Amino acid sequence: MALRSLLRHEALLALILAVALAVLAIDNERFFTAANLLNQGRLMTEVGLIAVVMTFVIITGGIDLSVGSILGLCAILVGVFWKTLGLPLPVAMVLCLVVGTLAGFVNGLIVTRFRVPPLIATLATLALYRGLAEGISQAQSIRGYPSWFFVLGQGNVLGVPTQLWLLAIVALVGFFILRFTAFGRATYAIGNNEMGAEFSGIDVVRTKLLIYSASGFVSALAALVFVSRVSTTRSDMGTGIELDVITAVVLGGTSIFGGRGLVVGTLIGLCLVQVLKNGLALSGVKGDGTIVIIGFVLIAAVLVSNLLRRYSSD
């Protein structure tokens, strides 16, 4: 049992993260400082918020490629609701969360009711939501938010960035639901055998609708954090973030085929990707080189994990 615990993907990934931290700290003295690490925490929060729920999505055997477009749409709408329509900013923020949740619900509806494969459904809504964001914004950015709004993306609580506390809350809720509730067990059951889960009495449609709606909700939440952090809104916000999210989730050990995954693994994968991005940038490695190295680490971690899993099962 102890050997199997050591050979778990998450344990292997944690070891890789520790080695990466040590190597990068030795290579550059600016890397392993509290200021730098907390700043990296700020930068990875938007991806982390979405990745927690994407873990649920992928465990069911699905995928959500539209999260970046939902983020961009909600980022634009919070500015439009507030400045263009004249609504109080707190009301605009709530409406932003409602729109994001509705966008996720539409994804779930297409996947469950119309039986469209998640890859195709969310690829289509990726284009739809991004087009809506660009059409509504008309290439105009919105600025001038009140100072209290920036606490969400630029403030600190007890010396820790505000958004990291938010990420911790979302991660803890996700961990608890997946690990200790009937909903979490239903999520795994759907990913392992959807038809079998349905025959065993699990409401597959309802479960998927809730998961995709939650994916839209956290994308909207990430939009609020993003806007607060950069102090403006643009329609191209969130472009490509879905790839970072999926990389963190898959690197964290969640099977793209469904039925296996942990929120803890996703968080370790998220930290590893951000550590490599930051450490390599500080070491003078250009963007293309960083992408290549992260890709290599992703492939190597998955291959080694598969080999160790076969070994431990023998």
Side-chain angles (χ1 to χ4, degrees):
M1 183 65 71
L3 178 61
R4 289 190 177 184
S5 296
L6 288 172
L7 295 181
R8 286 186 64 91
H9 181 93
E10 293 78 17
L12 172 66
L13 202 62
L15 178 62
I16 295 173
L17 176 60
V19 171
L21 284 169
V23 171
L24 292 171
I26 293 170
D27 184 64
N28 194 300
E29 62 181 16
R30 291 180 297 163
F31 173 75
F32 210 71
T33 61
N36 181 59
L37 294 179
L38 289 175
N39 185 53
Q40 296 314 305
R42 289 191 191 278
L43 297 177
M44 74 179 188
T45 297
E46 294 96 24
V47 175
L49 289 170
I50 302 172
V52 170
V53 180
M54 186 68 79
T55 305
F56 285 73
V57 173
I58 295 180
I59 287 174
T60 65
I63 198 80
D64 188 352
L65 298 178
S66 70
V67 289
S69 296
I70 295 175
L71 189 157
L73 175 61
C74 291
I76 284 297
L77 287 178
V78 72
V80 168
F81 289 147
W82 169 62
K83 205 157 193 177
T84 306
L85 299 183
L87 297 175
L89 187 51
V91 174
M93 293 168 69
V94 171
L95 286 177
C96 168
L97 295 174
V98 170
V99 170
T101 304
L102 182 60
F105 178 79
V106 169
N107 287 342
L109 205 61
I110 296 172
V111 170
T112 57
R113 295 300 184 184
F114 297 97
R115 301 289 182 178
V116 178
L119 179 67
I120 304 301
T122 59
L123 186 62
T125 54
L126 176 154
L128 171 63
Y129 299 146
R130 182 64 64 186
L132 286 173
E134 292 176 354
I136 293 170
S137 72
Q138 294 294 309
Q140 300 293 317
S141 61
I142 297 176
R143 305 172 186 272
Y145 292 94
S147 57
W148 65 261
F149 178 67
F150 298 130
V151 172
L152 183 60
Q154 302 176 27
N156 294 280
V157 177
L158 300 177
V160 177
T162 309
Q163 59 263 60
L164 274 182
W165 290 107
L166 186 61
L167 174 58
I169 292 169
V170 171
L172 284 172
V173 171
F175 171 79
F176 179 81
I177 291 174
L178 194 58
R179 181 71 177 83
F180 297 108
T181 68
F183 187 87
R185 291 190 290 275
T187 302
Y188 284 114
I190 292 170
N192 280 310
N193 187 335
E194 184 171 325
M195 187 173 292
E198 196 164 355
F199 283 140
S200 67
I202 294 173
D203 192 335
V204 173
V205 171
R206 176 178 173 273
T207 302
K208 285 188 173 183
L209 281 173
L210 286 172
I211 290 173
Y212 280 96
S213 297
S215 181
F217 174 82
V218 292
S219 298
L221 186 60
L224 294 177
V225 174
F226 202 156
V227 173
S228 176
R229 179 166 65 83
V230 301
S231 309
T232 186
T233 58
R234 300 187 314 273
S235 62
D236 62 346
M237 280 181 162
T239 301
I241 199 174
E242 61 276 356
L243 300 179
D244 291 336
V245 170
I246 294 169
T247 297
V249 175
V250 174
L251 182 59
T254 301
S255 173
I256 201 71
F257 301 107
R260 180 170 58 84
L262 293 172
V263 171
V264 171
T266 294
L267 294 177
I268 298 173
L270 172 70
C271 290
L272 180 57
V273 170
Q274 190 61 41
V275 160
L276 289 175
K277 282 183 178 180
N278 176 239
L280 293 171
L282 288 175
S283 299
V285 179
K286 295 183 178 180
D288 292 343
T290 301
I291 293 171
V292 169
I293 293 172
I294 291 174
F296 173 78
V297 170
L298 175 60
I299 294 170
V302 171
L303 290 177
V304 173
S305 176
N306 287 340
L307 289 173
L308 292 177
R309 189 176 295 110
R310 289 179 187 176
Y311 170 78
S312 62
S313 62
D314 290 341

